[in-house]
Amino acid sequence: MSKTHTYEFCFGPWNISEGQDPYGPPVRPPQEFDWKLGQLKKLGFDAMMFHDDDVVPDIDSKTSAQIFKEARELKKRLDGEGIAAEMVAPRLWFAPETIDGAYTSNDPRHRQYAVDRSLRCIDIAKIMGTDLIVLWLAREGTYIREAKNARRSVELLVAALDKMLGHDKKVRIAIEPKPNEPMDHAYIPTIGHALALAPLTRDPKRVGALIESAHCTLAGLDPSDEIAFAMAFQKLWSLHLNDQNGLKFDQDKPFGSTNLRVAFNQVRVLEQNKYGSNGEYVCFDVHPFRTTKVEHWMAHLDNSRRTFLRLVEKARSYDEKTAQQLIANRDYQALDQLVIEHLLGK
Ligand code: GLO
Ligand code: MG
């Protein structure tokens, strides 16, 4: 790995959140999009990720002509600031039509809504200058097993992917797996599930994945192994780094906040596999702690990047030669301590 390999960073407007949770209201005042873009620029990030309705608010109440006009206007503003759009994701979990899932809803009219919205999202992405669509399959699952047919749901997901791939010859789709929340069980809980869908579609080359650290932890898996798995297939097209303290609600903590060693191993595997060399971004899908004051509002993003960059140094200065000798000698006790002392900065 070249020592000069650099990374490009991004986050989404939803990562400057107001602190609302299921038990209480917002604790910071809402900010306009322009303010958020200004903050991203000030921090020196390179790109922004978008939901379709981050690009065009109230998207369902607007005509296609209006939607495309607003997208073009935003693209012009981003160009003026030198900020790229990393991806666009259809928000398929908020509308009344997605109450019971989107592509796997039991209601055929609602499935049609999901497909139509996804195709329009692809058109928006094209205007925004990106070929990457992210699918977090939020409500594609069940609260009770008997509510849907799981095999049919896989077929419905593949049919929806096929429509998207057919709509635009260049679009690439990165599936973001998550095992639960808001559902009890999601149909695509891990990276293996996501990548297994690809060969069932009309163009497997254009179906890949996005890994989020917290989602791996929620699945009881190690994020660095999940990253390595996707990279072995050349399928890691985006990344949501954050942290998660065990099997709780989805916490989206700052990167490295809970488990520095797990964070180190993620960075190490990204370094080993040259993540980013095809233009992929390191995105932080993190939220401020609820009590965060307005004047500290951006710290979780800045800190996540600081921690990431410090861990890049740690990955590059890791004593690989000694580690290899210890591995050859099966001395995993000493290997364990080598890692701990390296992270402690002895
Ligand atoms: C939620 C997801 C969510 C997605 C985002 C992009 O758990 O991580 O934040 O990443 O909506 O599709
Ligand atoms: Mg995410």
Side-chain angles (χ1 to χ4, degrees):
M1 174 91 232
S2 143
K3 299 265 180 215
T4 58
H5 176 71
T6 54
Y7 293 91
E8 293 199 291
F9 298 99
C10 105
F11 63 81
W14 66 91
N15 297 120
I16 309 179
S17 50
E18 289 103 40
Q20 181 163 13
D21 72 14
Y23 307 98
V27 290
R28 288 173 294 277
Q31 296 289 350
E32 295 295 323
F33 175 80
D34 279 348
W35 184 86
K36 295 183 176 182
L37 182 59
Q39 295 295 316
L40 181 136
K41 251 213 73 115
K42 208 156 86 190
L43 282 185
F45 278 62
D46 306 284
M48 201 175 231
M49 41 185 186
F50 291 93
H51 296 110
D52 51 0
D53 58 1
D54 293 322
V55 177
V56 183
D58 303 319
I59 195 165
D60 282 332
S61 68
K62 292 177 180 163
T63 63
S64 293
Q66 181 67 22
I67 289 168
F68 298 150
K69 180 169 165 274
E70 287 186 33
R72 278 192 292 271
E73 283 163 7
L74 179 56
K75 170 73 165 105
K76 213 180 278 167
R77 251 155 66 217
L78 290 182
D79 285 349
E81 301 286 354
I83 298 295
E86 190 243 356
M87 62 82 170
V88 186
R91 196 194 297 271
L92 294 173
W93 53 93
F94 235 85
E97 292 88 344
T98 52
I99 186 171
D100 194 25
Y103 313 125
T104 69
S105 170
N106 283 325
D107 183 332
R109 283 165 311 165
H110 290 176
R111 295 201 297 273
Q112 190 60 47
Y113 167 89
V115 167
D116 290 345
R117 185 155 170 174
S118 305
L119 301 188
R120 208 174 42 205
C121 181
I122 292 171
D123 299 336
I124 294 172
K126 201 167 179 177
I127 295 173
M128 299 298 286
T130 176
D131 62 358
L132 191 64
I133 296 292
V134 167
L135 291 185
W136 170 43
L137 300 168
R139 297 194 190 277
E140 314 296 9
T142 56
Y143 302 110
I144 56 166
R145 305 262 61 70
E146 300 83 359
K148 289 182 185 175
N149 178 321
R151 158 103 194 240
R152 180 158 172 267
S153 292
V154 173
E155 290 163 2
L156 289 169
L157 287 171
V158 171
L161 288 167
D162 277 346
K163 288 198 185 108
M164 287 181 249
L165 294 166
H167 182 72
D168 183 311
K169 296 277 164 290
K170 293 239 168 74
V171 72
R172 291 180 303 138
I173 300 170
I175 298 172
E176 178 180 351
K178 181 177 180 183
N180 62 286
E181 202 202 37
M183 308 314 291
D184 179 7
H185 284 285
Y187 285 132
I188 307 298
T190 71
I191 209 66
H193 291 80
L195 296 188
L197 284 181
L200 299 182
T201 67
R202 61 193 285 166
D203 194 356
K205 287 191 309 301
R206 291 190 287 134
V207 179
L210 179 163
I211 288 177
E212 175 162 327
S213 327
H215 298 178
C216 304
T217 305
L218 286 169
L221 298 171
D222 179 82
S224 71
D225 282 353
E226 291 283 272
I227 290 171
F229 187 88
M231 293 199 81
F233 289 79
Q234 332 268 307
K235 291 282 197 180
L236 190 63
W237 297 344
S238 186
L239 185 63
H240 286 181
L241 293 182
N242 56 15
D243 215 343
Q244 169 75 26
N245 189 14
L247 300 181
K248 295 183 164 67
F249 61 94
D250 186 10
Q251 296 181 308
D252 294 337
K253 288 182 148 190
F255 183 54
S257 166
T258 299
N259 193 328
L260 214 44
R261 186 166 177 176
V262 169
F264 167 68
N265 282 316
Q266 289 172 76
V267 173
R268 188 158 175 254
V269 95
L270 294 170
E271 280 279 295
Q272 286 169 335
N273 292 284
K274 300 185 171 55
Y275 178 82
S277 46
N278 300 309
E280 303 91 349
Y281 288 88
V282 172
C283 311
F284 297 110
D285 199 355
V286 291
H287 288 276
F289 301 126
R290 185 161 192 260
T291 52
T292 300
K293 293 180 182 169
V294 168
E295 57 266 40
H296 308 141
W297 202 341
M298 301 301 293
H300 60 305
L301 290 156
D302 194 29
N303 291 343
S304 291
R305 184 181 52 183
R306 282 168 66 114
T307 305
F308 179 90
L309 290 170
R310 290 290 297 275
L311 288 173
V312 168
E313 285 169 24
K314 286 285 174 191
R316 289 179 186 174
S317 58
Y318 178 65
D319 186 351
E320 206 63 68
K321 207 167 140 216
T322 304
Q324 287 310 322
Q325 285 162 359
L326 295 173
I327 290 166
N329 193 30
R330 218 173 64 214
D331 190 353
Y332 299 144
Q333 289 297 337
L335 181 65
D336 190 38
Q337 195 61 17
L338 179 80
V339 174
I340 291 170
E341 291 191 9
H342 183 59
L343 290 177
L344 286 173
K346 153 172 98 89

